[in-house]
Structure formats: structure tokens, C-alpha cells
Amino acid sequence: MVSNPQGFYQRLQQLSLPAQQAFMAALCERLLPNYVLYEQTTGQGDSHTLRTVLSLVWERLNVPNASIDFARQAEKLAECEPDEEDDSFGARRALDAVVSVSALLDTLQGDSPEAVLDVSRTSRAGVRAFIELTEGEVDAQKLALIIRDHPLMADENDFQDAVLETVSEPLDKAALKEVRELGRNGGVSNLGLSLEDTGA
């Protein structure tokens, strides 16, 4: 459990840009299964493109002078967004994944100082929304306590802490591989959902 979220966000902002990008990429990896599940259940979406764009980000982190047209990748990414008309929980969490990868691309194309905070908060907000959805109708004060003490929120906070610690070390190829593995989280998303649950 993060005892001081302000201190956490401060540390995030003090990271070098490549370390921030590795942090965001790890969180995006963990959001991807939510998108894939949305695609599988609705027949909408393009998780292949989403994965490809994220792989190119990892490539750039590993090979800083790799020539990749991220403006073009951002265009492709925009096409992966769920239909605006779809206000379902699955579509919103799928959108979280696209928006987070998009924020990451912004940092590769220019100045986007808030992006790392946005991705961190987006992932936490998705967990919060999932807990609210599963808890049903309870009053706000009670819900706040449930969210605070919920195993999924504790897991989310521990995960972000672990990624922050890992990217705070010098980021050689071995460290980047470790960060990516951490993000993949054994195929389990920030909502505790696994693609294996669907037989994927």
C-alpha cells in the first residue's frame, strides 16, 4: 500500500525520460489483457496493432537510435480505440490501454511531462472502477475504505512500486527485459483478469 502517493508521484517525475518511458511501457503491458478480452468478447478492436506499437517502444528503449516513425504509430493507434458509442465497462478499460500507450508515444515525439503521471493514475483508476463495479451499491465512505483495503488495489500499488524501484536502477538491456517481464505479469491484467480465463 502506498503510504504517500504524493511522494510516489514526485519520484516518478524525477526519473529520467527513458526510465519514465520504461515505467509507462510496463504499465501498458499490464493493461493489454483487458484490451484483448474486450476484443474477444465484442469482436471489436485490434490488439495486434496495439501490441506491435508497444513492441516498437521497447525496441526504441533498447536501441535509442532505432529509426521508428512514432507519428505513424500514433495514427495506427488511434484506429484501435473502441467505438465512442460503446460505454460498457470493457470498452472503457480497453480505452485505458489505448490512451496509456498513446501517452507513452507522446513522450517519444516531444515534450509530455505529465504522461507518466497520467498512465499511473489511469491504471489505478481502472482498478478503482472495477472494485466499484463488483461491490455494488454501498455508500461513498464505505466504498472508499473497501477500495483502500481491496486486494486488487493493494496489488496495483505493490506493482507500481516494484516497477518504480526497477526503473530507478540503471536501465541496461537486462534491466529493460526485467521491467517488461514485470509488466507482462504472467498474463494477468491490473484487474486480475487473465487471457487464460477465456481459453485464449
Side-chain angles (χ1 to χ4, degrees):
M1 186 74 214
V2 175
S3 53
N4 179 2
Q6 227 30 59
F8 177 86
Y9 290 131
Q10 203 173 353
R11 284 183 64 197
L12 267 188
Q13 287 195 291
Q14 286 165 353
L15 291 171
S16 68
L17 183 57
Q20 288 186 358
Q21 289 165 340
F23 177 89
M24 288 186 275
L27 266 62
C28 289
E29 287 283 355
R30 198 160 173 258
L31 293 173
L32 264 181
N34 297 333
Y35 187 97
V36 178
L37 288 169
Y38 164 77
E39 184 182 31
Q40 288 172 349
T41 51
T42 64
Q44 307 292 317
D46 180 0
S47 59
H48 175 72
T49 294
L50 201 58
R51 279 188 196 284
T52 303
V53 173
L54 193 50
S55 293
L56 288 170
V57 172
W58 286 111
E59 187 182 327
R60 167 58 72 84
L61 287 169
N62 273 294
V63 186
N65 58 357
S67 175
I68 298 165
D69 182 353
F70 282 111
R72 176 76 191 101
Q73 298 309 319
E75 286 169 20
K76 290 183 187 174
L77 196 61
E79 292 163 18
C80 297
E81 288 189 12
D83 188 341
E84 279 179 23
E85 303 297 306
D86 188 348
D87 197 32
S88 67
F89 182 82
R92 289 201 297 271
R93 299 295 72 81
L95 184 61
D96 285 350
V98 179
V99 166
S100 295
V101 177
S102 183
L104 173 50
L105 287 190
D106 287 345
T107 68
L108 289 153
Q109 297 180 85
D111 197 29
S112 189
E114 293 293 309
V116 70
L117 302 182
D118 292 342
V119 173
S120 171
R121 288 172 180 146
T122 295
S123 186
R124 282 190 219 272
V127 176
R128 197 175 302 116
F130 187 67
I131 296 168
E132 286 172 2
L133 182 77
T134 52
E135 287 302 323
E137 291 295 319
V138 289
D139 71 69
Q141 209 171 357
K142 193 173 175 189
L143 183 62
L145 290 173
I146 290 170
I147 289 170
R148 191 194 70 189
D149 299 330
H150 199 282
L152 271 179
M153 190 52 87
D155 185 54
E156 174 69 14
N157 291 330
D158 289 347
F159 171 77
Q160 291 205 24
D161 282 346
V163 177
L164 176 59
E165 289 306 321
T166 310
V167 301
S168 297
E169 301 299 317
L171 280 178
D172 56 15
K173 281 190 166 56
L176 282 167
K177 190 176 178 187
E178 186 185 340
V179 176
R180 192 173 188 180
E181 275 309 304
L182 200 57
R184 285 183 169 163
N185 201 39
V188 179
S189 81
N190 62 332
L191 308 182
L193 303 175
S194 165
L195 299 181
E196 281 148 28
D197 299 342
T198 63

